[in-house]
Amino acid sequence: MEETQAPWPARDGLRITRVRAVVTAPEGPPLVVVKVETNEPGLYGLGCATFTQRFHAVAATVDQHVAPMLTGRHPADIEDITRMIHLSSYWRDGPVLNNALSGVDMALWDIAGKRAGMPVYGLLGGRVRAAADTYLHAGGATVEQTLDQARAILAAGHRHVRLQTGAPGLGHYGAPGTANGYPGQPYPDGWDVQRYLRETPALFERARDELGEEPGLLHDVHSRLTPKQAVVLARALEPYRLFFLEDPIAPEFYDRLPEVRQAAPMPIAAGEQLGSVAGAARLVLRGGVDLLRLHVSSIGGLTPARKLVALCELTGVGTAWHAPADVSPVGAAANLALDVTSPAFQIQEGHVYPDAVLETFPGTINPREGYLHPHDAPGWGVDLDEKAAARYPPVTHLHERWAARVRRPDGGLEAP
């Protein structure tokens, strides 16, 4: 494809010369990062495009379809470039296309910050807070293991912790299983919804008794309940004052979220599996959430996310971006830029990146005493060591191997 130009006069000679995807897995989950290079020596940008379950598809989209459209463009034309990418595939949205778009979008913001000599949050109007409060995950095979992990998290200075506990066999989402399955059932590794509805309130009863009244306690259903079951669980958890209950129902049933939210005594956080900025906007406008919780790269990156942040501010909805191990440190830095620049911010999912990630992504931000503090360096302040990245090649089908085993005790497939 020939070099593309904007339909207005060029203001200087700066141009995009190369766009490519880099896939690495220093912690296990494949991370996709897009690198946008320019004709100014040393000036490049990095963006998160991590759809870890389909990383091959995202990388191919970036390299084979998106990159040729950007060669010759000025990197400052972020809005026009991202709109062009969004419209160019004719069929729009979805996590593959949006992650490819996000990688470019965040990389262009990184370049903009470096050109201005400012962190990206400075380009968004500056900070309204010094740092972002976070929560970490405690998930053991038993209640005792979960609470032990929670105590360690709180002792490290965190004020919020997500609690998940496993079950016989395969376990639950976010927590391992025990060695023994459900005896006498066709599929001993099954996920039993009635057992889950009984044992989850018991977990939080013990948590309040043993952890005290002060910590913010959170729980992720991971979309495995019907709307009625979600209400039953929410009401059973009322005495334990959850900070939020996450993804109580599947995205296919989001039209029912307003009724779940109305009946639930705690805030509802949802949106992690959305692959459309318009779908996220409808979730906010139709009263389905108290906290909008998106995988930012799956809705297209910083540019659409900052528009949703403005919508949240106007409607009284909070933000709580998705950021476990399958968000790259570049994506985590983008989340943090949104967190510290918006009054809508409520809480940020945190993750402690291990040494292999710190080596691969110099400048990676880890929480300190429960807070994430943004860099003052220009752009994201996070770099990519490609030699280190090459030492951690991705493995295909890690998630699929697990997801295929998530079944009910009768053998029926359950949402992963």
Side-chain angles (χ1 to χ4, degrees):
M1 182 175 175
E2 295 180 358
E3 288 190 358
T4 59
Q5 299 292 337
W8 45 78
R11 53 191 168 281
D12 59 40
L14 184 63
R15 293 290 179 270
I16 295 170
T17 56
R18 190 183 184 194
V19 178
R20 56 195 172 91
V22 178
V23 185
T24 183
E27 193 176 355
L31 305 175
V32 185
V33 175
V34 172
K35 187 171 186 177
V36 175
E37 301 174 25
T38 72
N39 59 354
E40 181 177 319
L43 179 61
Y44 60 86
L46 300 175
C48 184
T50 301
F51 178 16
T52 193
Q53 295 85 352
R54 294 292 183 271
F55 66 90
H56 287 299
V58 175
T61 300
V62 170
D63 293 342
Q64 299 177 27
H65 296 282
V66 173
M69 292 191 292
L70 270 63
T71 304
R73 290 297 305 266
H74 197 292
D77 294 334
I78 299 175
E79 191 74 36
D80 186 71
I81 289 172
T82 55
R83 181 171 168 79
M84 177 185 69
I85 295 170
H86 176 69
L87 297 174
S88 66
S89 62
Y90 186 69
W91 281 279
R92 305 163 194 170
D93 289 324
V96 172
L97 296 175
N98 278 348
N99 270 282
L101 170 57
S102 170
V104 171
D105 175 75
M106 290 186 191
L108 296 179
W109 279 101
D110 192 23
I111 291 171
K114 291 173 178 176
R115 293 183 69 215
M118 299 171 63
V120 173
Y121 67 74
L123 304 180
L124 303 181
R127 288 186 285 185
V128 298
R129 58 182 53 81
D133 205 354
T134 64
Y135 68 91
L136 295 184
H137 304 169
T142 65
V143 172
E144 288 74 18
Q145 291 177 7
T146 299
L147 295 182
D148 284 346
Q149 291 180 26
R151 289 186 191 95
I153 288 168
L154 297 172
H158 287 266
R159 289 154 295 280
H160 304 82
V161 58
R162 193 189 78 176
L163 304 180
Q164 314 286 138
T165 294
L170 185 63
H172 288 172
Y173 169 78
T178 56
N180 300 317
Y182 297 99
Q185 295 180 328
Y187 198 81
D189 283 348
W191 185 81
D192 188 325
V193 66
Q194 294 304 321
R195 182 172 186 144
Y196 170 74
L197 291 173
R198 291 194 309 271
E199 294 186 348
T200 302
L203 163 66
F204 281 87
E205 181 179 21
R206 281 195 56 182
R208 275 295 175 221
D209 286 343
E210 299 182 25
L211 303 179
E213 296 298 317
E214 290 188 6
L217 304 181
L218 303 80
H219 182 69
D220 186 359
V221 179
H222 220 248
S223 308
R224 289 185 177 182
L225 297 179
T226 67
K228 183 64 72 177
Q229 290 168 343
V231 171
V232 169
L233 177 64
R235 289 180 173 171
L237 292 170
E238 181 174 8
Y240 314 115
R241 298 169 299 286
L242 269 63
F243 187 87
F244 69 57
L245 184 65
E246 180 184 344
D247 283 332
I249 61 176
E252 293 84 358
F253 309 131
Y254 273 0
D255 60 324
R256 303 282 302 277
L257 259 181
E259 67 184 80
V260 174
R261 180 188 175 215
Q262 185 175 16
M266 73 285 291
I268 297 298
E272 176 181 325
Q273 292 174 285
L274 285 173
S276 161
V277 68
R282 284 192 289 270
L283 197 60
V284 172
L285 292 172
R286 294 176 182 176
V289 289
D290 296 286
L291 294 95
L292 185 62
R293 178 171 161 71
L294 301 174
H295 187 89
V296 168
S297 64
S298 282
I299 54 98
L302 184 75
T303 297
R306 63 195 291 260
K307 297 174 183 178
L308 287 170
V309 166
L311 180 63
C312 288
E313 291 177 11
L314 294 172
T315 55
V317 171
T319 63
W321 310 120
H322 182 246
D326 59 351
V327 172
S328 77
V330 177
N335 288 342
L336 185 53
L338 294 167
D339 296 339
V340 299
T341 57
S342 171
F345 168 76
Q346 290 292 309
I347 194 76
Q348 175 60 61
E349 181 174 18
H351 180 68
V352 179
Y353 291 103
D355 289 344
V357 177
L358 304 183
E359 173 196 16
T360 306
F361 294 92
T364 292
I365 302 172
N366 269 334
R368 302 197 313 266
E369 296 186 345
Y371 287 99
L372 287 169
H373 297 263
H375 286 304
D376 290 328
W380 300 126
V382 178
D383 207 350
L384 173 66
D385 183 331
E386 294 195 53
K387 290 183 179 179
R391 291 198 289 270
Y392 303 104
V395 176
T396 307
H397 303 312
L398 285 177
H399 184 270
E400 289 92 328
R401 293 189 188 104
W402 172 72
R405 293 181 57 218
V406 183
R407 294 180 179 272
R408 302 169 187 169
D410 64 3
L413 194 66
E414 183 55 75

